[in-house]
Amino acid sequence: MATQEEVLWNCRSALAAAVGAGSPDDRVVQALAALVLGHPSPMELEEVIAAGIAAGYPSGALLKTLLRCQLFDLEALLADAQERTPLEALDALRTLFLQHQQIHNAFIERFGEHAAEGADDGSALRARAEHDAQLLHALQAQWRANGQVEFFNYFRELQVPATAPFVDLDEYYLTVGRTPRLSTVLAAGERGCIVYAPTDDPGRLVRFERYAASADALVLRIAGLRDHPQGLRQRLRVEVPGEAVFRLQLPDGEAPTAYLRDFSVSGMRLDVSGVARLRPGIQVQCSGSLGTRLRKIELTMTVLVRWTTAVGDVTRIGVELVQQQGHRELLDRLVREYEQEAIKALNMIAQD
């Protein structure tokens, strides 16, 4: 495969040709080259696009540059393939194409986000980037002052927190002391290598990716700020494993079967087949069994339809529990039982 120096040179020249700039922004060049090579990048894709827009580069020019670099990378791999067995060459090509496809999909997703926001010629993106930079700067000062870093993750939507001692920090990497609790929180995250830190903005958080580890320290790459995965939701929403079947009693007399997707102490999401969209605001009788694998509780409740949407051939509805004596207490108990089972499962994953 192409060397880092070759990809950097090709990326710089391709970007200069695409945007007509004699000396393109080196941060963008470094980030694009890292993405092509599959190395940790100093900037996430959304940051690359935001930086390119701020420098006056069209988003399409960034994608054109990336494709040219990937073609260069492919040509280098094909040249190396002559010295490999056919199966080794095929495996290398498959890995390279998968890596390129993942980058393409991410670019398309980011382009869509920026197209939705882009009517103001990038000013909203720059404002958010400045806001995020201020949040991160304040948070880094807190880490240094307090000598510790707060982390958290979600495991089946259960928030799992941890605190680790602060060790070192530079522009792109944070080093903290390695603790059993932090290992558990990492185990709860995506691929066991993603963890988050809260900021002063409840809707934004810092994403970290595990980069390196020793017996007593863990190095995390600062992967930028993200929207909170739970939004501003105040209550835990429990995803229901398997099929939890409920029966709805509609105002017109229909009694369709619904499948519960998740619930909290105040509401539920259900999938219903064979009925048109239900009008938000109507009250519906809802009955079925709910609980962990060890204990089920029979429930009959009145719920208020808050929203509906079509998901393929299914109508998904969000309902809010109408105040009824004892039902919130039952749901709260079920949520707590769910939390206990989730913690047990997480501890088993962390031990493995």
Side-chain angles (χ1 to χ4, degrees), residues 173-315:
Y173 299 95
L174 168 69
T175 304
V176 295
R178 190 170 184 176
T179 68
R181 182 62 177 179
L182 181 55
S183 297
T184 298
V185 174
L186 274 167
E190 180 185 345
R191 304 188 309 279
C193 63
I194 305 297
V195 70
Y196 299 100
T199 73
D200 290 337
D201 182 342
R204 298 288 281 172
L205 51 84
V206 183
R207 173 185 165 114
F208 298 92
E209 297 174 357
R210 177 172 173 159
Y211 181 74
S214 65
D216 56 0
L218 189 66
V219 181
L220 301 168
R221 187 178 79 85
I222 303 173
L225 273 72
R226 296 288 186 278
D227 288 334
H228 198 292
Q230 297 289 307
L232 300 179
R233 187 185 302 133
Q234 298 299 313
R235 297 185 182 276
L236 175 67
R237 188 178 67 190
V238 174
E239 183 177 341
V240 179
E243 288 190 348
V245 181
F246 275 71
R247 178 72 66 182
L248 302 183
Q249 187 66 47
L250 305 184
D252 62 3
E254 277 193 272
T257 299
Y259 295 93
L260 182 66
R261 295 306 170 210
D262 50 51
F263 74 97
S264 71
V265 298
S266 60
M268 300 178 174
R269 284 196 309 172
L270 304 112
D271 286 348
V272 189
S273 299
V275 298
R277 287 194 181 188
L278 301 174
R279 179 172 52 84
I282 65 171
Q283 288 192 358
V284 177
Q285 288 295 115
C286 181
S287 60
S289 61
L290 184 61
T292 65
R293 56 188 175 84
L294 298 178
R295 189 168 72 94
K296 299 286 186 180
I297 296 176
E298 294 295 326
L299 293 171
T300 299
M301 304 171 291
T302 301
V303 296
L304 181 68
V305 177
R306 283 298 187 186
W307 55 265
T308 69
T309 186
V311 182
D313 297 330
V314 172
T315 298

